[in-house]
Amino acid sequence: MATGASSAKTNSFFGRLAESITRFSGSTAAFIGSAGVVLLWAATGPLFKYSETWQLVINTGTTIVTFLMVFLIQRAQNKDSLVLHLKLNELIAATQGASNRMINAQDLSEEEIRVLHQFFCLLAEKAKQDTDLGQTHSVEEAEDNHEEKLAALRDGK
């Protein structure tokens, strides 16, 4: 796996450009520059008699910048989200007793996520009932309890 400076060499030109622009766009210099452009535009209003063309310049400029920034922000957010998932996956994989089925949970269907959410709600209920704050429960234990409840319901009917 590439790390550090070597990973920058393996990225595409667009990837490196997008990362540079993303880093710069969040900087103080970018904010001051943008504020300067807006102030310059506002100051030229009387010179252009606040014409429609004068207004169109700022509207067009801000629309184009906003349009492009949406994609850069989404790209950065996607990368950050993936990295966060990888770090969580590493913690799950390294933690004894953690359910490995949670690795790559972001790839589950909405129905699978809903079912897991129900299991974690069961775990939360079990935790509320415990007097020992250090007691832990697993998804598998919640599943077993759920199966026992279903069996009891079937036997009761």
Side-chain angles (χ1 to χ4, degrees):
M1 177 176 260
T3 59
S6 64
S7 67
K9 292 177 186 175
T10 61
N11 285 340
S12 67
F13 170 76
F14 173 75
R16 290 190 312 272
L17 179 65
E19 286 179 27
S20 296
I21 293 170
T22 301
R23 265 193 308 277
F24 175 74
S25 66
S27 70
T28 302
F31 175 78
I32 290 170
S34 298
V37 167
V38 170
L39 289 174
L40 180 65
W41 169 80
T44 61
L47 179 66
F48 292 104
K49 299 181 179 145
Y50 303 101
S51 68
E52 286 184 20
T53 303
W54 173 80
Q55 291 177 23
L56 189 62
V57 166
I58 197 72
N59 289 339
T60 303
T62 56
T63 300
I64 291 169
V65 169
T66 301
F67 179 76
L68 295 174
M69 288 305 295
V70 164
F71 295 102
L72 284 176
I73 291 167
Q74 188 61 54
R75 181 183 185 281
Q77 206 168 25
N78 289 347
K79 182 178 177 184
D80 288 347
S81 179
L82 180 60
V83 168
L84 181 63
H85 288 297
L86 291 171
K87 289 177 180 182
L88 290 172
N89 290 344
E90 172 66 15
L91 291 173
I92 291 168
T95 304
Q96 185 173 350
S99 177
N100 284 341
R101 78 174 79 204
M102 295 304 297
I103 294 175
N104 288 334
Q106 71 275 7
D107 295 332
L108 298 175
S109 70
E110 287 185 31
E111 177 62 22
E112 291 168 321
I113 291 170
R114 189 186 61 71
V115 168
L116 276 172
H117 181 259
Q118 289 174 340
F119 285 134
F120 281 108
C121 287
L122 288 172
L123 292 178
E125 285 303 314
K126 289 186 76 58
K128 286 178 187 175
Q129 296 169 4
D130 283 339
T131 55
D132 179 7
L133 295 177
Q135 181 67 31
T136 61
H137 301 284
S138 66
V139 173
E140 287 75 14
E141 185 179 0
E143 276 183 327
D144 292 342
N145 290 342
H146 182 68
E147 290 301 321
E148 288 173 15
K149 287 180 185 178
L150 289 177
L153 285 173
R154 283 191 298 266
D155 294 342
K157 289 186 178 182

